[in-house]
Amino acid sequence: MSYLFRSERLGFRNWLDADIPKMAAISSDEDVMEFFPWLATFEQTRDFVLKMQEMFDERDYCYFAVDLLEENKFNGFIGLAYQVYEAPFTPCVDIDWRLAKEFWGKGYATEGASRCLSYAFEDLGIEEIKSTAPRMNLPSLNVMKKIGMSMELEFTHSRLPQESPLADFLCYGISRDIIKPS
């Protein structure tokens, strides 16, 4: 497999059509999607992958398909996306992750997100990265803290029902000037 870049245990690449069923299984898992208002359908996942392929072609980044190098096994996505939904900090580049349950608790999200920050700042010259999650999504908020991000603001997510507890979001951020080159 040809990777755009690697971390110690992960390979980052653009999406293949063969990834769609694997990502659909991840995005329809109730545990993985605990902090989302709905499970993704196969069609929604296909559309997501197509959007990521287009974003990569336009910007040289996306939520990258990620493989565990040791096993050459797809484990979800970690990466960057250009966001324009209505929020006080958009438009922006954000960092996000979604991994299959079997890869949880092993530090892959933190390792991969750290490597994506390096790619964003050192290779792409992006100045600032944001990350958001519902206030109740403590695992994602902990990854944000581990990769050096700081909480910047609280907001109600414009794409979610306002009465939902999932709409209560936190935005974390990090800028290029605080990351030391690797």
Side-chain angles (χ1 to χ4, degrees):
M1 184 69 64
S2 177
Y3 294 107
L4 300 163
F5 56 91
R6 299 170 187 236
S7 64
E8 182 180 338
R9 301 176 293 171
L10 304 172
F12 299 79
R13 59 179 173 78
N14 199 355
W15 293 83
L16 305 171
D17 290 345
D19 296 324
I20 295 171
K22 298 171 197 168
M23 193 67 223
I26 294 169
S27 295
S28 64
D29 182 300
E30 290 183 4
D31 292 331
V32 173
M33 302 299 283
E34 176 183 0
F35 301 107
F36 290 83
W38 52 80
L39 302 178
T41 65
F42 185 88
E43 293 76 20
Q44 289 168 325
T45 302
R46 182 194 64 230
D47 292 347
F48 166 80
V49 169
L50 292 173
K51 180 180 174 184
M52 291 301 107
Q53 290 170 329
E54 290 171 9
M55 186 178 297
F56 180 79
D57 289 343
E58 292 171 8
R59 299 183 176 273
D60 292 332
Y61 63 81
C62 65
Y63 293 149
F64 299 109
V66 177
D67 296 328
L68 183 61
L69 292 171
E70 183 178 311
E71 300 174 20
N72 194 28
K73 186 174 183 179
F74 176 81
N75 67 356
F77 73 73
I78 305 172
L80 310 162
Y82 187 71
Q83 298 291 353
V84 294
Y85 61 87
E86 187 178 329
F89 51 86
T90 58
C92 72
V93 177
D94 85 339
I95 187 167
D96 203 0
W97 42 85
R98 184 179 307 161
L99 302 176
K101 270 191 305 198
E102 68 187 280
F103 299 105
W104 290 4
K106 298 176 175 146
Y108 295 128
T110 301
E111 175 184 328
S114 292
R115 182 62 182 94
C116 285
L117 286 178
S118 295
Y119 177 73
F121 294 140
E122 297 171 20
D123 296 300
L124 300 175
I126 295 171
E127 294 295 326
E128 186 175 34
I129 305 286
K130 304 291 186 189
S131 190
T132 65
R135 179 184 299 278
M136 62 178 57
N137 186 345
L138 298 180
S140 281
L141 296 173
N142 285 334
V143 170
M144 293 173 201
K145 292 173 191 172
K146 287 179 185 176
I147 63 173
M149 300 185 96
S150 299
M151 206 282 275
E152 294 181 346
L153 63 99
E154 303 172 26
F155 70 104
T156 302
H157 202 297
S158 63
R159 291 186 175 168
L160 296 173
Q162 303 304 287
E163 65 280 357
S164 169
L166 291 174
D168 183 18
F169 262 63
L170 299 177
C171 175
Y172 278 65
I174 191 168
S175 61
R176 180 180 181 181
D177 60 349
I178 69 165
I179 296 289
K180 295 178 175 59
S182 54

